[in-house]
Amino acid sequence: QVQLVESGGGLVQAGGSLRLSCVASGRTFSTYAVGWFRQAPGKEREFVAAISWSSGSTSFADSVKGRCTISRDNAKDTVYLRLNSLKPEDTAVYYCAAGGGLYTQAYEYDYWGQGTQVTVSS
């Protein structure tokens, strides 16, 4: 199986930025893409962005488009998510997930990390 570990969350002021990391291990050779999702209390899990390991193709949610970048370091089995111009609405637990395609639905991913908390103060 694939193990995923997120890091980089914390408390950030509105307008600031942060970079999250997701380190993968295990059967990563069978993983096509890594996606980022977020979930705020009382809300459903929401797609943020995804990237393919091989081509670097990316997908972004409308809510973060223009202020989000996603990248990968294949040698380190690591995917990075950078969010700029942070808003209080970005507050959530952020999860990375591994799956077989650039999916936008949570149920389409096979493996999940433990999550990292991002809190944006107003």
Side-chain angles (χ1 to χ4, degrees):
Q1 62 176 354
V2 176
Q3 294 81 44
L4 303 166
V5 179
E6 305 96 330
S7 62
L11 178 62
V12 187
Q13 285 188 281
S17 63
L18 56 73
R19 188 181 73 163
L20 306 180
S21 299
C22 174
V23 180
S25 61
R27 288 176 57 93
T28 56
F29 62 87
S30 64
T31 298
Y32 174 77
V34 171
W36 284 93
F37 291 78
R38 63 188 183 185
Q39 188 165 25
K43 295 188 176 182
E44 63 185 18
R45 197 147 46 199
E46 176 188 24
F47 173 75
V48 179
I51 187 169
S52 72
W53 287 110
S54 57
S55 69
S57 297
T58 58
S59 180
F60 297 95
D62 289 340
S63 60
V64 300
K65 199 169 297 181
R67 58 189 186 95
C68 178
T69 57
I70 186 169
S71 60
R72 88 277 197 226
D73 185 336
N74 289 6
K76 296 180 178 180
D77 285 336
T78 301
V79 171
Y80 304 97
L81 181 77
R82 182 171 180 84
L83 282 170
N84 302 315
S85 301
L86 286 164
K87 310 171 183 179
E89 306 91 87
D90 294 320
T91 295
V93 176
Y94 283 70
Y95 300 90
C96 65
L102 286 176
Y103 304 131
T104 60
Q105 301 293 314
Y107 70 84
E108 296 173 307
Y109 285 82
D110 303 310
Y111 304 99
W112 293 83
Q114 83 289 345
T116 184
Q117 176 71 48
V118 173
T119 302
V120 183
S121 61
S122 60

